[in-house]
């Protein structure tokens, strides 16, 4: 009986080990593949020059700027809204009130909608109806709606993880509700909130479909929020789909991956520094 | 004006339809430690929380009756709850330092009440930590996180945090229940020292603890105050059969 149990243990251990190894292997393979295919294209010019001849020549600087621009606009809009609504629902509403359930269900449904539908909505509403045209603003707003549920839900989870004693201790010291939230609850939940924002940044940077229909595909350097722009992922899509240049598509993909890795690294760093300050 | 620091008059507490406290009348003397004992769910913690109106944070509770602190009814409509909670500090069951430095933990209260001057804050922090018997252990690590302290140290840090806003009364809700015996002994010593300056009301499950630290003891059962006596008399010669049954361990 015991031998059988041991065998079973070993088998299951093997199985989950393989699962974990497969995840790491897949990621490394993709990164390595893109790296090998794309590294030849990367040059100072590729990073700093504006694309010419539809991207066949020149660089991708305007797409890099477009990507950052769109993401920043999306974050500026969705972070305060997402955190604000999460604070309202978690701290000011009863846990299972009809209103908070309705908002939570909407957020959940919203996060399950395919991004092309956000793109379509953004196109009809921001681009056409509000007359914002193909622009950073239209694209950023569309992205903001798309990532809002993620920020809201992760903030809610983070707020719920704050021990109830922190709140009661603060209130028992005579602090007001808002003092308690701003000085105790939000700082304690910051690591979780930051994680949600990072996930959203990752999603914005990599998003294609929602931007394709709302920010346009201009190759020029975007300056004003009303300028049209293309993001790196959209640029990548055109390069590959229209057969303009596969090498340059891989080069763009490599830069995109590097950018996301850098964002994750920086976010982890700030997160660790933050938790370090709390724990030591 | 009366001699008593706290006078509870006909305090009843309802949680929705359910009544949790029935006409509790209890007079608490200044500079004494008063222990509230009784089985779980008897209303002792609820009564404690009615002394700084903390029950109000729970949806659906109503309190009737009066609680006079220094002769003033804290349930008056014009009571400033912020000021009340400053004057009536509370130490909870689970030691919970805020996730910030030891210094900031103690300075939290004074800061929210508007003190910003560094010198004043420094003084308050040192004074409060000394009063809580924590200064020697904490003075070299004021900038390190309060969460890095042991449970017993955290509980004394919480007491320092309460002392920082100059309370008159300190409520303690089973403050030692999460602590080891040595930390508990330190906490009990501290309570005995603090009563020189403060009026202390402590809820405890541990009857030896009530016997060790308190001057008077109140026994609660099912939301009723059954008996209230000087601690020694209550433990040696209880006046009520139910009290006797409880302290001799026949139920609870």
């Amino acid at each position: 009986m015991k031998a059988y149990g041991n065998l079973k243990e070993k088998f299951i251990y093997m199985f989950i080990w393989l699962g974990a190894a497969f995840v790491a292997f897949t990621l490394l393979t993709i990164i390595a593949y893109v790296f090998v295919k794309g590294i030849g294209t990367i040059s100072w010019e590729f990073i700093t020059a504006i694309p010419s001849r539809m991207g066949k020549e020149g660089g991708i600087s305007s797409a890099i700027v477009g990507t950052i621009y769109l993401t920043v606009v999306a974050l500026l809009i969705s972070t305060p809204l997402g955190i604000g609504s999460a604070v309202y629902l978690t701290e000011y509403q009863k846990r299972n009130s009809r209103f908070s359930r309705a908002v939570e269900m909407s957020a959940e449904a919203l996060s399950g909608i395919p991004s092309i539908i956000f793109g379509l909505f953004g196109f009809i509403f921001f681009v056409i109806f509000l007359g914002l045209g193909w622009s950073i603003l239209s694209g950023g707003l569309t992205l903001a709606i798309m990532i809002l549920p993620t920020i809201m839900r992760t903030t809610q989870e983070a707020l719920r993880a704050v021990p109830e004693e922190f709140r009661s201790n603060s209130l028992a010291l005579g602090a007001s509700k808002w003092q308690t939230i701003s000085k105790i609850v939000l700082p304690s939940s910051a690591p979780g909130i930051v994680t949600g924002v990072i996930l959203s940044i990752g999603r914005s940077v990599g998003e294609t479909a929602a931007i394709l229909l709302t920010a346009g595909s201009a190759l020029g350097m975007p300056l004003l929020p009303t300028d049209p722009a293309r993001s790196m992922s959209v640029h990548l899509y055109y390069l590959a789909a229209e057969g303009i240049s596969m090498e340059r598509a891989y080069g763009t993909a490599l830069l995109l991956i590097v950018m996301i890795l850098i964002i994750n690294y920086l976010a982890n760093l700030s997160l660790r520094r933050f938790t370090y300050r709390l724990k030591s | 004006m009366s001699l008593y620091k706290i006078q509870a008059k006909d305090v009843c507490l309802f949680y929705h339809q359910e009544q949790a406290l029935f006409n509790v009348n209890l007079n608490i003397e200044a500079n004494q430690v008063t222990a509230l004992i009784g089985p779980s769910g008897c209303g002792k913690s609820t009564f404690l929380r009615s002394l700084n109106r903390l029950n109000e944070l729970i949806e659906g509770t109503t309190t009737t009756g009066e609680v006079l602190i220094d002769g003033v009814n804290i349930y008056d409509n014009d009571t400033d709850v912020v000021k009340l909670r400053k004057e009536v500090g509370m130490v909870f069951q689970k030691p919970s330092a805020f996730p910030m430095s030891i210094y900031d933990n103690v300075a939290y209260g004074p800061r929210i009440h508007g003190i910003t001057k560094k010198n004043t804050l420094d003084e308050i922090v040192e004074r409060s930590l000394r009063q809580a018997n924590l200064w020697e252990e904490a003075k070299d690590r004021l900038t390190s996180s309060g969460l890095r302290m042991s449970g017993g140290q955290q509980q004394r840090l919480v007491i320092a945090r309460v002392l920082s806003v100059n309370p008159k009364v300190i409520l303690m809700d089973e403050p030692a229940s999460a602590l080891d015996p040595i930390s508990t002994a330190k906490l009990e010593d501290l309570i005995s020292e603090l009563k020189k300056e403060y009026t202390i009301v402590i809820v405890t499950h541990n009857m030896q603890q009530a016997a060790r630290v308190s001057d008077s003891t109140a026994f609660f059962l099912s939301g009723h105050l059954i008996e209230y006596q000087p601690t020694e008399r209550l433990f040696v010669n209880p006046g009520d059969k139910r009290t006797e049954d409880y302290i001799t361990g026949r139920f609870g």
Side-chain angles (χ1 to χ4, degrees), chain A:
Chain A
M1 225 30 218
K2 196 163 183 230
Y4 167 76
N6 271 340
L7 204 67
K8 200 172 151 194
E9 289 282 314
K10 273 186 190 143
F11 181 75
I12 289 173
Y13 180 80
M14 266 279 283
F15 187 75
I16 52 180
W17 185 87
L18 278 174
F22 184 73
V23 171
F25 177 76
T26 315
L27 177 72
L28 288 177
T29 310
I30 292 176
I31 293 180
Y33 186 73
V34 171
F35 187 83
V36 170
K37 291 280 223 175
I39 191 70
T41 324
I42 307 289
S43 64
W44 184 243
E45 195 212 348
F46 188 68
I47 297 171
T48 55
I50 287 175
S52 60
R53 293 187 58 213
M54 294 312 289
K56 222 178 206 124
E57 285 164 20
I60 59 164
S61 65
S62 57
I64 296 177
V65 172
T67 304
I68 297 171
Y69 212 154
L70 283 163
T71 305
V72 168
V73 169
L75 284 177
L76 282 179
I77 298 162
S78 58
T79 308
L81 273 179
I83 295 177
S85 49
V87 166
Y88 177 73
L89 290 180
T90 320
E91 306 292 324
Y92 288 91
Q93 277 276 320
K94 271 184 276 172
R95 172 116 201 212
N96 277 320
S97 80
R98 198 176 287 179
F99 181 69
S100 46
R101 274 222 304 272
V103 176
E104 274 167 32
M105 268 171 61
S106 324
E108 225 126 78
L110 210 56
S111 58
I113 293 177
S115 59
I116 186 73
I117 295 180
F118 283 105
L120 201 60
F121 170 79
F123 177 68
I124 293 165
F125 189 71
F126 297 122
V127 178
I128 310 276
F129 182 73
L130 293 184
L132 296 174
W134 277 332
S135 63
I136 296 277
L137 207 54
S138 299
L141 282 163
T142 310
L143 281 178
I145 300 176
M146 210 181 77
I147 62 178
L148 186 61
T150 312
I151 295 185
M152 196 191 96
R153 296 294 297 187
T154 45
T155 304
Q156 270 188 302
E157 292 310 316
L159 292 175
R160 282 194 189 127
V162 175
E164 207 44 52
E165 293 91 49
F166 286 1
R167 296 185 184 83
S168 40
N169 269 286
S170 172
L171 292 168
L173 280 165
S176 70
K177 187 149 189 166
W178 176 242
Q179 283 174 325
T180 302
I181 291 170
S182 61
K183 297 210 162 76
I184 303 286
V185 179
L186 282 176
S188 329
S189 54
I193 298 175
V194 172
T195 309
V197 174
I198 296 163
L199 286 173
S200 308
I201 294 177
R203 231 188 132 187
S204 310
V205 169
E207 182 50 42
T208 316
I211 294 171
L212 202 60
L213 293 169
T214 53
S217 57
L219 286 166
M221 181 65 76
L223 295 172
L224 298 172
T226 46
D227 289 345
R230 67 163 63 177
S231 70
M232 287 160 84
S233 50
V234 170
H235 188 57
L236 169 57
Y237 167 77
Y238 278 122
L239 289 179
E242 298 186 357
I244 296 168
S245 163
M246 273 323 254
E247 294 83 60
R248 283 171 176 264
Y250 278 115
T252 311
L254 179 57
L255 281 185
L256 195 57
I257 287 183
V258 168
M259 198 160 144
I260 289 174
L261 289 179
I262 289 175
I263 291 171
N264 280 357
Y265 176 74
L266 287 179
N268 264 324
L269 204 71
S270 73
L271 205 67
R272 220 171 314 148
R273 202 175 265 179
F274 188 84
T275 37
Y276 177 79
R277 207 189 57 186
L278 289 183
K279 296 226 167 88
S280 65

Side-chain angles (χ1 to χ4, degrees), chain B:
Chain B
M1 291 295 276
S2 75
L3 289 161
Y4 298 112
K5 190 77 183 172
I6 306 172
Q7 291 174 282
K9 292 183 175 171
D10 285 323
V11 173
C12 296
L13 186 130
F14 301 84
Y15 180 69
H16 295 293
Q17 256 57 271
E18 209 177 314
Q19 189 164 2
L21 289 176
F22 298 83
N23 297 78
V24 177
N25 286 285
L26 189 67
N27 294 329
I28 292 169
E29 282 179 55
N31 301 100
Q32 290 232 322
V33 178
T34 303
L36 311 179
I37 62 167
S40 297
C42 68
K44 57 192 189 302
S45 286
T46 308
F47 177 72
L48 188 79
R49 286 161 165 264
S50 73
L51 302 180
N52 66 348
R53 291 179 52 171
L54 214 59
N55 288 316
E56 285 168 20
L57 302 181
I58 304 161
E59 204 93 20
T61 54
T62 341
T63 313
T64 62
E66 291 185 344
V67 174
L68 309 183
I69 292 182
D70 289 327
V72 179
N73 183 14
I74 63 168
Y75 282 92
D76 271 346
N77 288 332
D78 57 356
T79 301
D80 179 356
V81 181
V82 166
K83 191 161 162 272
L84 168 70
R85 296 205 179 125
K86 226 177 109 177
E87 288 178 353
V88 184
M90 177 126 185
V91 178
F92 295 83
Q93 192 168 354
K94 198 173 155 216
S96 69
F98 293 144
M100 45 176 83
S101 73
I102 294 173
Y103 183 97
D104 289 339
N105 260 283
V106 183
Y108 178 75
R111 278 186 181 138
I112 57 172
H113 295 299
I115 296 173
T116 50
K117 261 177 66 186
K118 179 92 175 68
N119 286 349
T120 320
L121 286 173
D122 286 351
E123 278 166 32
I124 294 175
V125 169
E126 179 170 349
R127 190 207 70 210
S128 310
L129 285 170
R130 277 190 195 282
Q131 277 183 299
N133 291 344
L134 196 59
W135 178 249
E136 290 307 318
E137 290 154 78
K139 66 178 176 193
D140 297 323
R141 46 190 282 210
L142 289 175
T143 52
S144 82
S145 168
L147 296 178
R148 289 273 291 255
M149 301 185 112
S150 73
Q153 288 173 326
Q154 278 197 39
Q155 199 60 303
R156 278 179 282 143
L157 178 63
V158 169
I159 292 175
R161 200 166 64 195
V162 167
L163 295 174
S164 70
V165 293
N166 289 319
K168 298 179 193 163
V169 178
I170 302 173
L171 309 176
M172 300 187 177
D173 193 355
E174 297 182 40
S177 63
L179 304 184
D180 62 78
I182 294 167
S183 304
T184 303
K186 282 189 184 168
L187 184 75
E188 289 178 4
D189 290 344
L190 175 59
I191 291 172
S192 307
E193 278 171 45
L194 289 175
K195 78 172 183 183
K196 290 169 203 152
E197 284 175 69
Y198 306 92
T199 304
I200 297 171
V201 186
I202 177 173
V203 162
T204 175
H205 260 301
N206 179 333
M207 277 175 281
Q208 283 77 36
Q209 185 170 63
R212 281 193 301 263
V213 300
S214 71
D215 301 292
S216 304
T217 299
F219 172 62
F220 282 77
L221 188 62
S222 318
H224 296 270
L225 173 62
I226 304 296
E227 187 170 350
Y228 179 43
Q229 299 268 19
T231 299
E232 218 173 283
R233 201 183 312 157
L234 186 126
F235 279 100
V236 174
N237 191 12
D240 193 289
K241 181 77 174 63
R242 288 166 293 180
T243 315
E244 194 186 331
D245 286 349
Y246 180 70
I247 59 177
T248 52
R250 232 159 281 170
F251 70 90

